[in-house]
PDB file of all heavy atoms in Angstrom:
ATOM      1  N   VAL A 161      -6.512 -11.713 -27.709  1.00 91.00           N
ATOM      2  CA  VAL A 161      -5.988 -12.206 -26.435  1.00 91.00           C
ATOM      3  C   VAL A 161      -6.817 -13.395 -25.954  1.00 91.00           C
ATOM      4  O   VAL A 161      -6.282 -14.410 -25.497  1.00 91.00           O
ATOM      5  CB  VAL A 161      -5.961 -11.078 -25.382  1.00 91.00           C
ATOM      6  CG1 VAL A 161      -5.675 -11.623 -23.990  1.00 91.00           C
ATOM      7  CG2 VAL A 161      -4.943 -10.025 -25.771  1.00 91.00           C
ATOM      8  N   LYS A 162      -8.135 -13.295 -26.077  1.00 90.00           N
ATOM      9  CA  LYS A 162      -9.005 -14.393 -25.654  1.00 90.00           C
ATOM     10  C   LYS A 162      -8.739 -15.641 -26.497  1.00 90.00           C
ATOM     11  O   LYS A 162      -8.647 -16.751 -25.963  1.00 90.00           O
ATOM     12  CB  LYS A 162     -10.468 -13.966 -25.784  1.00 90.00           C
ATOM     13  CG  LYS A 162     -11.444 -15.004 -25.296  1.00 90.00           C
ATOM     14  CD  LYS A 162     -12.866 -14.492 -25.380  1.00 90.00           C
ATOM     15  CE  LYS A 162     -13.840 -15.548 -24.900  1.00 90.00           C
ATOM     16  NZ  LYS A 162     -15.220 -15.098 -25.008  1.00 90.00           N
ATOM     17  N   LEU A 163      -8.586 -15.473 -27.798  1.00 89.00           N
ATOM     18  CA  LEU A 163      -8.329 -16.600 -28.698  1.00 89.00           C
ATOM     19  C   LEU A 163      -6.999 -17.273 -28.369  1.00 89.00           C
ATOM     20  O   LEU A 163      -6.919 -18.510 -28.291  1.00 89.00           O
ATOM     21  CB  LEU A 163      -8.340 -16.125 -30.152  1.00 89.00           C
ATOM     22  CG  LEU A 163      -8.245 -17.207 -31.221  1.00 89.00           C
ATOM     23  CD1 LEU A 163      -9.478 -18.101 -31.195  1.00 89.00           C
ATOM     24  CD2 LEU A 163      -8.102 -16.552 -32.591  1.00 89.00           C
ATOM     25  N   VAL A 164      -5.973 -16.487 -28.147  1.00 89.00           N
ATOM     26  CA  VAL A 164      -4.668 -17.050 -27.785  1.00 89.00           C
ATOM     27  C   VAL A 164      -4.786 -17.799 -26.457  1.00 89.00           C
ATOM     28  O   VAL A 164      -4.267 -18.910 -26.307  1.00 89.00           O
ATOM     29  CB  VAL A 164      -3.587 -15.951 -27.706  1.00 89.00           C
ATOM     30  CG1 VAL A 164      -2.318 -16.478 -27.061  1.00 89.00           C
ATOM     31  CG2 VAL A 164      -3.291 -15.405 -29.091  1.00 89.00           C
ATOM     32  N   GLY A 165      -5.483 -17.214 -25.493  1.00 86.00           N
ATOM     33  CA  GLY A 165      -5.662 -17.871 -24.201  1.00 86.00           C
ATOM     34  C   GLY A 165      -6.353 -19.212 -24.320  1.00 86.00           C
ATOM     35  O   GLY A 165      -5.974 -20.180 -23.659  1.00 86.00           O
ATOM     36  N   GLU A 166      -7.358 -19.298 -25.171  1.00 86.00           N
ATOM     37  CA  GLU A 166      -8.085 -20.559 -25.354  1.00 86.00           C
ATOM     38  C   GLU A 166      -7.201 -21.628 -25.988  1.00 86.00           C
ATOM     39  O   GLU A 166      -7.308 -22.803 -25.666  1.00 86.00           O
ATOM     40  CB  GLU A 166      -9.322 -20.336 -26.222  1.00 86.00           C
ATOM     41  CG  GLU A 166     -10.427 -19.573 -25.529  1.00 86.00           C
ATOM     42  CD  GLU A 166     -11.572 -19.216 -26.472  1.00 86.00           C
ATOM     43  OE1 GLU A 166     -11.537 -19.591 -27.653  1.00 86.00           O
ATOM     44  OE2 GLU A 166     -12.507 -18.545 -26.010  1.00 86.00           O
ATOM     45  N   HIS A 167      -6.338 -21.219 -26.892  1.00 84.00           N
ATOM     46  CA  HIS A 167      -5.535 -22.191 -27.627  1.00 84.00           C
ATOM     47  C   HIS A 167      -4.204 -22.510 -26.961  1.00 84.00           C
ATOM     48  O   HIS A 167      -3.481 -23.388 -27.430  1.00 84.00           O
ATOM     49  CB  HIS A 167      -5.316 -21.711 -29.064  1.00 84.00           C
ATOM     50  CG  HIS A 167      -6.575 -21.752 -29.863  1.00 84.00           C
ATOM     51  ND1 HIS A 167      -7.119 -22.915 -30.337  1.00 84.00           N
ATOM     52  CD2 HIS A 167      -7.426 -20.766 -30.235  1.00 84.00           C
ATOM     53  CE1 HIS A 167      -8.241 -22.663 -30.980  1.00 84.00           C
ATOM     54  NE2 HIS A 167      -8.459 -21.345 -30.926  1.00 84.00           N
ATOM     55  N   THR A 168      -3.864 -21.818 -25.901  1.00 88.00           N
ATOM     56  CA  THR A 168      -2.590 -22.068 -25.232  1.00 88.00           C
ATOM     57  C   THR A 168      -2.782 -22.244 -23.735  1.00 88.00           C
ATOM     58  O   THR A 168      -1.845 -22.061 -22.967  1.00 88.00           O
ATOM     59  CB  THR A 168      -1.607 -20.907 -25.490  1.00 88.00           C
ATOM     60  OG1 THR A 168      -2.194 -19.698 -25.003  1.00 88.00           O
ATOM     61  CG2 THR A 168      -1.265 -20.767 -26.947  1.00 88.00           C
ATOM     62  N   GLU A 169      -3.984 -22.627 -23.301  1.00 84.00           N
ATOM     63  CA  GLU A 169      -4.291 -22.712 -21.868  1.00 84.00           C
ATOM     64  C   GLU A 169      -3.341 -23.636 -21.128  1.00 84.00           C
ATOM     65  O   GLU A 169      -2.886 -23.320 -20.032  1.00 84.00           O
ATOM     66  CB  GLU A 169      -5.745 -23.154 -21.653  1.00 84.00           C
ATOM     67  CG  GLU A 169      -6.187 -23.036 -20.209  1.00 84.00           C
ATOM     68  CD  GLU A 169      -6.027 -21.623 -19.632  1.00 84.00           C
ATOM     69  OE1 GLU A 169      -6.301 -20.637 -20.345  1.00 84.00           O
ATOM     70  OE2 GLU A 169      -5.606 -21.510 -18.469  1.00 84.00           O
ATOM     71  N   GLU A 170      -3.001 -24.782 -21.713  1.00 85.00           N
ATOM     72  CA  GLU A 170      -2.090 -25.716 -21.041  1.00 85.00           C
ATOM     73  C   GLU A 170      -0.726 -25.056 -20.810  1.00 85.00           C
ATOM     74  O   GLU A 170      -0.161 -25.122 -19.718  1.00 85.00           O
ATOM     75  CB  GLU A 170      -1.926 -26.989 -21.875  1.00 85.00           C
ATOM     76  CG  GLU A 170      -1.069 -28.041 -21.213  1.00 85.00           C
ATOM     77  CD  GLU A 170      -0.965 -29.302 -22.054  1.00 85.00           C
ATOM     78  OE1 GLU A 170      -1.910 -29.617 -22.801  1.00 85.00           O
ATOM     79  OE2 GLU A 170       0.084 -29.963 -21.954  1.00 85.00           O
ATOM     80  N   TRP A 171      -0.211 -24.391 -21.825  1.00 86.00           N
ATOM     81  CA  TRP A 171       1.085 -23.724 -21.711  1.00 86.00           C
ATOM     82  C   TRP A 171       1.015 -22.579 -20.700  1.00 86.00           C
ATOM     83  O   TRP A 171       1.910 -22.422 -19.874  1.00 86.00           O
ATOM     84  CB  TRP A 171       1.533 -23.209 -23.082  1.00 86.00           C
ATOM     85  CG  TRP A 171       2.868 -22.530 -23.042  1.00 86.00           C
ATOM     86  CD1 TRP A 171       4.102 -23.114 -23.074  1.00 86.00           C
ATOM     87  CD2 TRP A 171       3.100 -21.116 -22.935  1.00 86.00           C
ATOM     88  NE1 TRP A 171       5.082 -22.158 -22.996  1.00 86.00           N
ATOM     89  CE2 TRP A 171       4.508 -20.925 -22.907  1.00 86.00           C
ATOM     90  CE3 TRP A 171       2.273 -20.007 -22.858  1.00 86.00           C
ATOM     91  CZ2 TRP A 171       5.081 -19.663 -22.812  1.00 86.00           C
ATOM     92  CZ3 TRP A 171       2.845 -18.750 -22.756  1.00 86.00           C
ATOM     93  CH2 TRP A 171       4.236 -18.587 -22.739  1.00 86.00           C
ATOM     94  N   LEU A 172      -0.058 -21.785 -20.757  1.00 84.00           N
ATOM     95  CA  LEU A 172      -0.198 -20.674 -19.812  1.00 84.00           C
ATOM     96  C   LEU A 172      -0.317 -21.180 -18.375  1.00 84.00           C
ATOM     97  O   LEU A 172       0.248 -20.580 -17.452  1.00 84.00           O
ATOM     98  CB  LEU A 172      -1.416 -19.819 -20.173  1.00 84.00           C
ATOM     99  CG  LEU A 172      -1.283 -18.965 -21.429  1.00 84.00           C
ATOM    100  CD1 LEU A 172      -2.622 -18.337 -21.790  1.00 84.00           C
ATOM    101  CD2 LEU A 172      -0.226 -17.894 -21.248  1.00 84.00           C
ATOM    102  N   THR A 173      -1.019 -22.289 -18.165  1.00 86.00           N
ATOM    103  CA  THR A 173      -1.140 -22.876 -16.833  1.00 86.00           C
ATOM    104  C   THR A 173       0.225 -23.314 -16.321  1.00 86.00           C
ATOM    105  O   THR A 173       0.585 -23.063 -15.165  1.00 86.00           O
ATOM    106  CB  THR A 173      -2.117 -24.067 -16.860  1.00 86.00           C
ATOM    107  OG1 THR A 173      -3.399 -23.581 -17.263  1.00 86.00           O
ATOM    108  CG2 THR A 173      -2.228 -24.730 -15.495  1.00 86.00           C
ATOM    109  N   GLU A 174       1.000 -23.954 -17.184  1.00 88.00           N
ATOM    110  CA  GLU A 174       2.344 -24.383 -16.814  1.00 88.00           C
ATOM    111  C   GLU A 174       3.225 -23.174 -16.470  1.00 88.00           C
ATOM    112  O   GLU A 174       3.981 -23.188 -15.498  1.00 88.00           O
ATOM    113  CB  GLU A 174       2.956 -25.175 -17.978  1.00 88.00           C
ATOM    114  CG  GLU A 174       4.136 -26.019 -17.612  1.00 88.00           C
ATOM    115  CD  GLU A 174       4.582 -26.895 -18.781  1.00 88.00           C
ATOM    116  OE1 GLU A 174       3.714 -27.431 -19.496  1.00 88.00           O
ATOM    117  OE2 GLU A 174       5.806 -27.018 -18.961  1.00 88.00           O
ATOM    118  N   LEU A 175       3.116 -22.102 -17.263  1.00 88.00           N
ATOM    119  CA  LEU A 175       3.888 -20.892 -17.001  1.00 88.00           C
ATOM    120  C   LEU A 175       3.483 -20.262 -15.669  1.00 88.00           C
ATOM    121  O   LEU A 175       4.339 -19.855 -14.872  1.00 88.00           O
ATOM    122  CB  LEU A 175       3.687 -19.894 -18.149  1.00 88.00           C
ATOM    123  CG  LEU A 175       4.453 -18.583 -18.052  1.00 88.00           C
ATOM    124  CD1 LEU A 175       5.962 -18.839 -18.030  1.00 88.00           C
ATOM    125  CD2 LEU A 175       4.084 -17.673 -19.229  1.00 88.00           C
ATOM    126  N   ARG A 176       2.177 -20.192 -15.393  1.00 86.00           N
ATOM    127  CA  ARG A 176       1.714 -19.624 -14.117  1.00 86.00           C
ATOM    128  C   ARG A 176       2.217 -20.452 -12.938  1.00 86.00           C
ATOM    129  O   ARG A 176       2.613 -19.903 -11.904  1.00 86.00           O
ATOM    130  CB  ARG A 176       0.193 -19.546 -14.097  1.00 86.00           C
ATOM    131  CG  ARG A 176      -0.370 -18.464 -14.990  1.00 86.00           C
ATOM    132  CD  ARG A 176      -1.892 -18.381 -14.898  1.00 86.00           C
ATOM    133  NE  ARG A 176      -2.408 -17.517 -15.918  1.00 86.00           N
ATOM    134  CZ  ARG A 176      -3.164 -17.912 -16.942  1.00 86.00           C
ATOM    135  NH1 ARG A 176      -3.527 -19.181 -17.064  1.00 86.00           N
ATOM    136  NH2 ARG A 176      -3.590 -17.047 -17.836  1.00 86.00           N
ATOM    137  N   ASP A 177       2.185 -21.779 -13.077  1.00 88.00           N
ATOM    138  CA  ASP A 177       2.693 -22.642 -12.010  1.00 88.00           C
ATOM    139  C   ASP A 177       4.173 -22.381 -11.754  1.00 88.00           C
ATOM    140  O   ASP A 177       4.617 -22.319 -10.607  1.00 88.00           O
ATOM    141  CB  ASP A 177       2.474 -24.118 -12.356  1.00 88.00           C
ATOM    142  CG  ASP A 177       1.011 -24.522 -12.323  1.00 88.00           C
ATOM    143  OD1 ASP A 177       0.191 -23.775 -11.743  1.00 88.00           O
ATOM    144  OD2 ASP A 177       0.687 -25.594 -12.886  1.00 88.00           O
TER     145      ASP A 177
END
Side-chain angles (χ1 to χ4, degrees):
V161 169
K162 183 177 179 182
L163 187 65
V164 168
E166 288 173 2
H167 290 285
T168 59
E169 190 57 40
E170 184 178 330
W171 181 82
L172 288 171
T173 299
E174 198 173 320
L175 181 61
R176 287 182 190 113
D177 290 344

